Amino acid sequence: MTTKMKRLLAGCAIALGTCGSASAAEVTYSAYYWGESAPASYLAKAKAEFEKDNPGDAIKAISPPYEGFFDKQYTEVKAGSPSDIVSLFDPDMAAYLKQDLLEPLDLYVKAAGVSLDQLNPLNKNAMKDGHIYGITLEVNPRALMINEKLLRDAGVNIPATADEFLVAMGKLRNPAKQEFGFYSLSTSGTSQDAYLQTAPIIYGFGGGWFKEGKPTASSPETIAALKFIKKVYDDGLVPRVDSRTAQQMFIDGKIAMFIVGPFLAGMAAEQNQTTYENIAAATLPLPGKRTTSVSVFIGVPKGAKNKDAAGRFITTLLKPEMQKTVAEIGKVIPAVRGSISDEFLNQNPWFKAYVEAAGHAVSFAPEGVEEYGPEIYNIIGPAIEDILFNNADVEQTSNHLQTELEKFVAAKKAN
């Protein structure tokens, strides 16, 4: 560690009121993705690097189940007994910022030699009043991931338009082999899953649920997207499985195209080299030329016991070599721009579509009302399922949703 970095980190400790404590710190880091091989692998390298540079300090990795993780974490943060490092999706970050639950990380970012304008654009969702309160551990923009072998075998080109996309799905459907051309929402589940699985298509058509905090459920673009999703389902072009099962089907070579984050390629690389070697990707072949992204942020809650050590771990993660490692092992967009090497892109040409997608991706959280994400999912998710599974009329449902979302916003403003 350089003398300059040591001085900066000393300043961080003073800023967080932790100077004068010479005792070793055991930083608790509870996150569901410690149980996933790719994140666990690059985080293990960051843990080793941190512990080498900070003798006596240690990272305690805790791997809770994904189900209920964010609710449990929020309860602990509000009660003043959180993990030293918390994990947040986009709407969680907005809620934590609004409630002033996180410590600023400016000095730790600076200690890594990173300026705020070097961070990828989606980090702006963790900024407030010119300060940064969270760092994207990884960014997963949505693009079209493709098993090119299945397309070649069926004589299908990568689609460039929505109409070509539908035709390709039909040609790639092979009932005898239980192969499908595409996956999108096809089973009932959580409201958040219904929202997340359909959001890239909604935005891909140029639609959305909100714009600058105002509902847009009844916009022509949103309605067109919902009709597309319904047609795909009604025509039997997707398997009737949940998203995690569909991911495994893609890895197993049973689904040809999937609107998903780049992380799925990392899973394929570990489990099925044949699929991985045949992966291609393209930006969404939809008319709106937009997509969504799911970011995993990390931050330090105000109630953390080891704030400074937690901040120093974030500094370790932001080092150039670690950012390169996150990209290459996780197959994701890391926090700092310029961290993806030309060598990696040349070896993984499919990843270029994700880099391009990241340039026009927006957060999946509802624009302007991000902090109410979970409540909004509970309004929108059941309506989407009603369209797909109960044959509800798209336009009537969209108009009803518009009214319900307007009532929701009005109630929040009244409070």
Side-chain angles (χ1 to χ4, degrees), residues 114-385:
V114 175
S115 62
L116 295 184
D117 61 6
Q118 287 178 281
L119 296 172
N120 71 56
L122 287 169
N123 276 278
K124 71 179 186 298
N125 296 327
M127 295 191 69
K128 182 179 179 181
D129 300 328
H131 297 285
I132 190 155
Y133 292 84
I135 300 296
T136 52
L137 178 65
E138 55 181 58
V139 174
N140 276 286
R142 273 25 185 177
L144 187 65
M145 188 172 288
I146 300 158
N147 184 324
E148 210 165 20
K149 181 180 184 301
L150 293 181
L151 268 68
R152 284 197 306 269
D153 290 350
V156 173
N157 294 323
I158 294 174
T161 68
D163 287 342
E164 290 180 6
F165 197 10
L166 285 170
V167 170
M169 290 180 210
K171 289 182 177 179
L172 289 159
R173 178 75 174 95
N174 187 334
K177 293 184 177 180
Q178 278 301 292
E179 292 177 355
F180 293 83
F182 182 55
Y183 173 75
S184 66
L185 181 71
S186 59
T187 58
S188 183
T190 67
S191 295
Q192 176 171 302
D193 196 48
Y195 182 98
L196 275 174
Q197 291 300 318
T198 55
I201 297 176
I202 300 291
Y203 281 85
F205 269 81
W209 297 112
F210 285 85
K211 183 167 183 167
E212 297 178 352
K214 296 179 180 179
T216 55
S218 60
S219 74
E221 295 83 3
T222 301
I223 289 172
L226 289 169
K227 287 181 176 179
F228 179 89
I229 294 165
K230 180 172 172 56
K231 179 172 177 56
V232 167
Y233 177 82
D234 288 348
D235 289 356
L237 298 175
V238 292
R240 302 315 201 233
V241 297
D242 61 58
S243 59
R244 289 188 176 238
T245 302
Q247 290 173 15
Q248 190 60 53
M249 289 179 68
F250 180 88
I251 292 168
D252 293 340
K254 295 296 184 180
I255 292 176
M257 299 181 291
F258 203 139
I259 294 176
V260 70
F263 69 89
L264 186 56
M267 294 169 64
E270 295 169 353
Q271 298 180 43
N272 189 333
Q273 198 61 30
T274 299
T275 294
Y276 183 69
E277 289 172 356
N278 283 282
I279 283 179
T283 54
L284 302 188
L286 301 175
K289 305 302 180 186
R290 290 200 303 170
T291 189
T292 56
S293 185
V294 177
S295 300
V296 179
F297 293 89
I298 54 173
V300 179
K302 287 197 168 181
K305 293 180 180 178
N306 298 293
K307 298 176 186 177
D308 175 54
R312 284 186 275 118
F313 179 70
I314 290 172
T315 297
T316 298
L317 274 169
L318 290 175
K319 289 181 178 180
E321 197 55 38
M322 275 309 310
Q323 286 291 286
K324 183 171 177 284
T325 298
V326 169
E328 294 182 0
I329 292 179
K331 308 292 189 293
V332 292
I333 308 290
V336 181
R337 290 187 293 178
S339 299
I340 303 166
S341 70
D342 290 340
E343 179 183 8
F344 175 73
L345 289 174
N346 289 334
Q347 292 173 351
N348 300 274
W350 60 269
F351 199 78
K352 295 174 184 177
Y354 282 95
V355 174
E356 183 180 348
H360 56 257
V362 297
S363 167
F364 74 90
E367 182 185 330
V369 284
E370 293 88 351
E371 68 269 27
Y372 303 123
E375 294 173 81
I376 290 169
Y377 306 153
N378 287 334
I379 298 171
I380 294 173
I384 295 172
E385 291 197 353

Side-chain angles (χ1 to χ4, degrees), residues 44-118:
K45 290 180 179 292
K47 178 180 185 295
E49 183 76 10
F50 169 80
E51 291 172 355
K52 182 188 75 174
D53 287 346
N54 299 273
D57 293 342
I59 300 295
K60 182 180 180 180
I62 304 168
S63 178
Y66 177 79
E67 296 301 326
F69 169 77
F70 291 100
D71 289 340
K72 181 175 183 292
Q73 176 181 261
Y74 178 71
T75 299
E76 292 170 348
V77 169
K78 291 290 284 185
S81 56
S83 173
D84 292 315
I85 297 173
V86 291
S87 305
L88 310 161
F89 281 164
D90 308 58
D92 307 298
M93 174 56 72
Y96 278 51
L97 283 179
K98 185 173 183 179
Q99 296 175 54
D100 195 27
L101 297 175
L102 299 171
E103 292 286 354
L105 300 175
D106 304 67
L107 289 174
Y108 294 98
V109 175
K110 186 176 180 181
V114 175
S115 62
L116 295 184
D117 61 6
Q118 287 178 281

